[in-house]
């Protein structure tokens, strides 16, 4: 560094500084160090914990074992939690995408003012803490006739406390859809906004009713945004803790809550580490899977355009 | 492409579109014959696109009706009007191959695969793109993309073909080729067509009749020849090509000719059927004008005296820019022959007499 600076001042005509690749690394170094210390290292420790043995006294040491993973997969109770987590995440991302399309279309195609207002309404809930929002759902979905929903249904004559969704998977799905909806709407609206509006008009002129134009043109062209939204919502739901903790109860037990129980109640660190690893694997799996899907679509397009 | 043969006429009656307080199209009434191509021409914002989109059904008229083949389609939704359309940005479906793009309209009509295939092939070979069926639109040039769009529009055997500045994004040479190609196909298939453009050459080249629009209204409707040589108003005369305008007073009438003494001095004869006006505005095309030297203080018997300001050599022609005694500009396009440039004999400051045959005079309204 010093040498090159000297050189540069001594001979102003020569631009002898650091080689490009070295300069690149120097710029990246702080970020890399940060990521290594707080991501790579803990991940390695976490992963190693999950394959170590915990003694009676609570020390974690060799021998290596896969018993935590085994229990997670084969123990019916644990497996149930894994399946619940996957199911809730899939349902949440599906329902979120169904709700998100009309909103995203309103944002992408609406008149400027209408579009702005919709955007604000979609994003606004994000400034309220998840805890507060989920607490709201506790009040709405309460199983007794003091729950707002039950109270309303009873009022219009459905008998006492007709719905019992609180402390089930459905409560988590409902609350999670609400919490994560903006993260589905935003990439979708961006994707829709990039579609040339005359494509839809061209389809209509060629004889497509609005719904067929949507299915054949708008929907396929919005897939990149849809996949981005699905990935984000799926990963975040699978990794969530607050919402399942507050409205899931025992019937809606998810991995995040299970993990917390393993640490604070069972003091089973290897098991907690194994759960954490599985959660990371689920999120990674979703991302990799979508990447692969997108890549395959792109490759198929390329192949077809080179077909002749 | 078996020509659909069933050419339909189009009628617009009192078609009006109001956006808030802004009237984009104000009571357009027009008949377009079966198999005819009409160009809507006018400056930006005069309502061409809005008119076209009302015909298409993409914009709902505030008032008035669209009749296709005598049927009122004003309340019929876009997808049931059977109209083909070319967009300025082509609007090809980027995720479908060329063949799939062309097949789309046929699929929407519920045709079987076996019926669709030969129609698509015929349409593609009509636009000379038979070898590109499996390409994606992104792998085609702009001209090729618009030809795919043309194939896609005509394969449905539309009652009407609408073109909104279809060649605006192409470079000049390609544009001229495409103008001829689209025109030939339109004639061959006998499709009634409406072309929107703000390129006057394009309108004159492609259309059977040209409609000049201004501020949401029709200014003049006529064949390209009528529009060019018999403009109705100062606006039309200056919008199509270049024109000189001369103010004058009618001094006499005889033998079907108005004798007009000009505000700028001199006088001209104007063939005109009646003697109903006193103050007139004459339009003269610059290529009709001949120049002759004029002695200082002299007055031409027929024609107008002028002072040369600038002589510009332009290859085929030499443009001589002049000023009249009343301060108005006047220009003559003199033809050049190789070896003798017509403008050489004139220089800035020269006094000249500008004259032309009476047939080149035309009275226009001053608006
Ligand atoms: N959706 C709309 N909302 C409000 N005003 C509009 C809308 N569409 C068009 N206008 C207005 O209507 C008028 C006519 O527009 P139009 O697009 O028909 O013009 P045009 O003749 O096609 O112009 P150009 O040559 O620039 O394409 C313009 O003043 C335009 O601002
Ligand atoms: Mg326009």
């Amino acid at each position: 560094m010093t040498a090159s600076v000297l050189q540069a001042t001594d001979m102003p005509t020569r631009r002898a500084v650091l080689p490009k690749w070295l300069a690149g690394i120097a710029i990246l170094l702080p970020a890399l160090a940060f990521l290594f210390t707080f991501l790579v290292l803990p991940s390695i420790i976490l992963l190693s914990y999950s394959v170590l043995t915990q003694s009676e006294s609570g020390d974690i040491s060799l021998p290596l074992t896969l018993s935590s993973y085994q229990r997670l997969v084969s123990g019916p109770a644990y497996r149930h939690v894994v399946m619940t987590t996957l199911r809730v995440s899939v349902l949440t991302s599906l329902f979120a995408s169904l709700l998100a399309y009309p909103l995203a279309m309103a944002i992408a195609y609406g008149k400027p003012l209408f579009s702005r207002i919709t955007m604000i309404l979609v994003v606004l809930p994000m400034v309220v803490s998840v805890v507060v929002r989920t607490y709201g759902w506790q009040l709405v979905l309460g199983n007794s006739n003091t729950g707002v929903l039950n109270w309303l249904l009873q009022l219009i004559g459905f008998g006492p406390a007709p719905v019992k969704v609180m402390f089930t998977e459905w409560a988590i799905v409902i609350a999670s859809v609400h919490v994560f909806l903006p993260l589905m709407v935003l990439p979708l609206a961006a994707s829709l906004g990039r579609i040339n509006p005359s494509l839809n008009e061209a389809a209509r002129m060629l004889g497509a009713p609005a719904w067929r134009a949507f299915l054949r043109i708008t929907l396929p062209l919005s897939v990149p945004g849809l996949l981005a939204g699905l990935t984000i919502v799926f990963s975040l739901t699978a990794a969530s803790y607050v919402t399942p903790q507050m409205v899931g109860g025992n019937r809606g037990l998810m991995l995040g809550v299970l993990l917390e129980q393993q640490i604070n109640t069972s003091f089973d660190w290897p098991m907690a580490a194994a759960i954490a690893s599985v959660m990371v694997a689920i999120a990674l799996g979703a991302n990799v899977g979508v990447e692969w899907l997108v890549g395959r679509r792109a490759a198929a397009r390329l192949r077809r355009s080179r077909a002749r | 492409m078996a020509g659909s043969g069933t050419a339909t006429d189009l009628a617009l009656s009192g078609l009006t579109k109001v956006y808030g307080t802004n009237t984009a199209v104000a009571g357009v009434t027009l008949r377009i014959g079966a198999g005819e191509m009409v160009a809507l021409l006018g400056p930006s914002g005069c309502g061409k696109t809005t008119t076209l989109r009302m015909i298409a059904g993409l914009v709902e008229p505030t008032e008035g009706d669209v009749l296709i083949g005598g049927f009122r389609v004003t309340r019929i939704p876009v997808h049931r009007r059977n109209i083909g359309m070319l967009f300025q940005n082509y609007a090809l479906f980027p995720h479908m191959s060329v063949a799939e793009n062309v097949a789309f309209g046929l699929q929407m009509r519920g045709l079987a695969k076996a019926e669709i295939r030969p129609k698509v092939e015929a349409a593609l070979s009509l636009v000379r793109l038979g070898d590109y069926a499996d390409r994606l639109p992104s792998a085609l040039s702009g001209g090729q993309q618009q030809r795919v769009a043309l194939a896609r529009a005509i394969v449905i055997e539309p009652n009407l073909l609408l073109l909104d500045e279809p060649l605006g994004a192409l470079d000049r040479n390609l544009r001229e080729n495409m103008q001829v190609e689209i025109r030939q196909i339109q004639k061959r298939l006998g499709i009634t067509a409406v072309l929107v453009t703000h390129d006057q050459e394009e309108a004159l080249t492609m259309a059977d009749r040209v409609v000049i629009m201004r501020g949401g209204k029709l200014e003049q409707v006529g064949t390209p020849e009528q529009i060019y040589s018999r403009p109705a108003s100062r606006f039309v005369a200056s919008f199509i090509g270049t024109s000189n305008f001369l103010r004058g007073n009618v001094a006499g009438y005889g033998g079907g000719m108005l004798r007009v003494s000009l505000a700028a001095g001199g006088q001209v004869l104007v063939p005109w059927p009646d003697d109903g006006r006193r103050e007139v505005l004459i339009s003269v095309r610059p290529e009709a004008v001949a120049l002759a030297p004029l002695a200082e203080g002299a007055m031409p018997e027929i024609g107008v005296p002028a002072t040369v300001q600038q002589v510009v050599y332009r290859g085929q022609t030499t443009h001589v820019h002049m000023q009249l005694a009343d301060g108005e500009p006047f220009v003559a396009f003199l033809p050049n022959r190789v070896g003798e440039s017509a403008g050489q004999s004139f220089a800035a400051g020269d006094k000249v007499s500008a004259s032309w045959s009476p047939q080149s005079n035309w009275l226009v309204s001053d608006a």
Side-chain angles (χ1 to χ4, degrees), chain A residues 111, chain B residues 17 19-20 22-25 42-51 53 59 88 164-165 196-198 213:
Chain A
K111 296 224 170 76
Chain B
K17 180 67 192 181
Y19 288 112
N22 174 18
T23 305
V25 177
S44 189
C46 70
K48 307 180 294 289
T49 298
T50 308
T51 304
R53 291 169 67 82
V59 166
Q88 178 168 8
D164 191 358
E165 311 219 9
V196 158
T197 179
H198 56 228
M213 284 188 73

Side-chain angles (χ1 to χ4, degrees), chain A residues 40-52:
Chain A
V40 180
L41 215 56
S43 301
I44 293 171
I45 295 171
L46 182 78
L47 211 61
S48 58
Y49 267 28
S50 71
V51 292
L52 290 174

Side-chain angles (χ1 to χ4, degrees), chain B:
Chain B
M1 194 79 235
S4 55
T6 56
T8 23
D9 64 334
L10 170 70
L12 310 180
S13 117
L15 208 54
T16 300
K17 180 67 192 181
V18 180
Y19 288 112
T21 56
N22 174 18
T23 305
V25 177
V28 165
T29 297
L30 182 67
R31 291 192 59 87
I32 298 176
E36 189 183 22
M37 162 117 53
V38 163
L40 302 183
L41 182 62
S44 189
C46 70
K48 307 180 294 289
T49 298
T50 308
T51 304
L52 198 75
R53 291 169 67 82
M54 284 193 282
I55 300 172
L58 295 168
V59 166
E60 200 182 327
T62 312
E63 250 175 67
D65 280 311
V66 177
L67 292 95
I68 298 177
F71 286 105
R72 187 169 165 273
V73 298
T74 321
R75 301 275 166 259
I76 292 182
V78 191
H79 64 281
R80 287 205 258 113
R81 290 196 187 187
N82 199 36
I83 295 175
M85 180 139 167
L86 293 198
F87 295 80
Q88 178 168 8
N89 57 33
Y90 319 130
L92 295 179
F93 308 132
H95 55 306
M96 298 183 195
S97 71
V98 165
E100 286 167 332
N101 265 279
V102 178
F104 186 88
L106 300 174
Q107 289 167 352
M108 293 304 123
R109 280 161 179 71
L111 266 65
K113 267 212 176 95
E115 290 175 276
I116 291 177
R117 191 176 243 283
K119 280 179 189 273
V120 169
E121 279 170 7
L124 281 177
S125 69
L126 187 67
V127 297
R128 297 182 290 112
L129 284 175
D131 291 341
Y132 295 80
D134 295 323
R135 293 251 193 128
L136 282 180
S138 56
L140 299 178
S141 73
Q144 289 170 331
Q145 291 190 39
Q146 196 57 292
R147 299 213 309 264
V148 174
L150 179 61
R152 183 177 71 174
I154 58 178
V155 79
I156 60 172
E157 298 179 7
N159 294 326
L160 207 60
L161 184 62
L162 304 179
L163 310 96
D164 191 358
E165 311 219 9
L167 308 176
L170 301 179
D171 66 52
R172 201 183 158 80
N173 276 335
L174 189 55
R175 196 145 86 195
E176 285 178 10
N177 293 340
M178 287 289 295
Q179 285 169 0
V180 173
E181 185 165 353
I182 292 179
R183 175 64 167 153
Q184 281 175 348
I185 290 174
Q186 179 264 335
K187 270 199 154 164
R188 172 128 52 107
L189 302 181
I191 306 178
T192 313
V194 183
L195 165 74
V196 158
T197 179
H198 56 228
D199 177 346
Q200 44 162 309
E201 272 178 47
E202 188 163 292
L204 298 178
T205 310
M206 293 181 74
D208 297 304
R209 277 194 303 156
V210 176
V211 173
I212 307 288
M213 284 188 73
R214 179 190 189 185
K217 295 201 177 88
L218 301 190
E219 181 85 2
Q220 190 175 359
V221 182
T223 63
E225 211 269 323
Q226 286 168 347
I227 296 279
Y228 187 78
S229 60
R230 300 296 177 238
S233 63
R234 182 183 196 128
F235 173 82
V236 174
S238 50
F239 190 76
I240 301 280
T242 314
S243 204
N244 294 302
F245 298 101
L246 297 163
R247 266 174 212 296
N249 288 300
V250 175
Y253 186 63
M257 296 266 190
L258 292 170
R259 196 155 46 77
V260 178
S261 61
L262 301 172
Q267 62 176 351
V268 291
L269 297 175
V270 182
W272 204 254
D274 60 80
D275 181 23
R277 314 185 190 196
R278 298 271 66 90
E279 288 188 3
V280 293
L281 185 67
I282 299 171
S283 159
V284 184
R285 295 293 182 187
E287 65 270 20
V289 176
L291 299 181
L294 186 70
E296 191 67 47
M299 184 61 67
E301 174 139 7
I302 289 289
V304 62
T307 310
V308 175
Q309 292 201 306
Q310 202 185 359
V311 180
V312 183
Y313 181 77
R314 298 271 303 240
Q316 287 181 349
T317 53
T318 295
H319 293 190
V320 181
H321 295 271
M322 291 160 279
Q323 194 177 33
L324 303 180
D326 61 354
E328 294 293 319
F330 198 84
V331 63
F333 298 168
L334 306 178
N336 289 328
R337 266 171 235 104
V338 175
E340 49 170 312
S341 168
Q344 288 304 313
S345 38
F346 304 104
D350 287 359
K351 298 282 177 209
V352 294
S353 151
S355 58
W356 50 92
S357 80
Q359 275 66 36
S360 302
N361 282 317
W362 188 251
L363 299 188
V364 295
S365 73
D366 187 12

Side-chain angles (χ1 to χ4, degrees), chain A residues 96-304:
Chain A
S97 64
L98 287 182
L99 286 183
Y101 260 101
L103 289 169
M105 287 172 83
I107 291 172
Y109 305 139
K111 296 224 170 76
L113 182 69
F114 180 69
S115 158
R116 269 278 180 71
I117 291 174
T118 314
M119 179 73 137
I120 291 170
L121 287 181
V122 166
V123 176
L124 205 59
M126 291 217 286
V127 303
V128 180
S129 153
V130 181
V131 178
V132 175
R133 281 189 280 171
T134 313
Y135 183 68
W137 281 110
Q138 274 191 343
L139 296 180
V140 171
L141 298 178
N143 282 339
S144 68
N145 50 14
T146 53
V148 175
L149 184 63
N150 273 324
W151 175 75
L152 274 177
L153 287 175
Q154 190 179 351
L155 213 64
I156 54 175
F158 279 94
V163 287
K164 300 240 182 297
V165 287
M166 196 58 184
F167 305 122
T168 67
E169 288 170 36
W170 287 106
I172 311 179
V173 171
I174 292 169
S176 300
V177 165
H178 175 230
V179 170
F180 295 129
L181 190 60
L183 301 175
M184 180 67 88
V185 173
L186 295 182
L188 207 50
S191 207
L192 289 170
R194 275 194 297 269
I195 302 174
N196 172 1
S198 33
L199 294 184
N200 189 57
E201 293 178 349
R204 299 297 312 279
M205 302 252 4
L206 288 165
W211 64 273
R212 284 186 89 173
F214 175 80
L215 288 183
R216 289 287 307 272
I217 310 298
T218 311
L219 187 61
L221 290 176
S222 68
V223 162
L226 176 65
L227 287 180
L230 285 176
T231 322
I232 297 170
V233 174
F234 179 89
S235 309
L236 290 180
T237 310
S240 63
Y241 166 72
V242 173
T243 307
Q245 162 70 20
M246 289 177 69
V247 299
N250 270 333
R251 287 205 284 148
L253 193 57
M254 284 175 56
L255 284 173
V257 181
L258 184 66
L259 180 136
E260 186 264 353
Q261 288 176 357
Q262 295 302 317
I263 291 176
N264 288 338
T265 316
S266 319
F267 306 109
D268 188 344
W269 280 70
M271 188 63 193
I275 293 168
S277 305
V278 168
M279 289 172 71
V280 171
I282 289 175
L284 271 181
N287 280 283
V288 171
V290 164
E291 282 297 318
W292 178 77
L293 267 179
V294 172
R296 218 178 53 152
R297 263 168 60 100
R301 269 193 188 197
L302 209 63
R303 254 202 319 281
R304 276 175 31 187

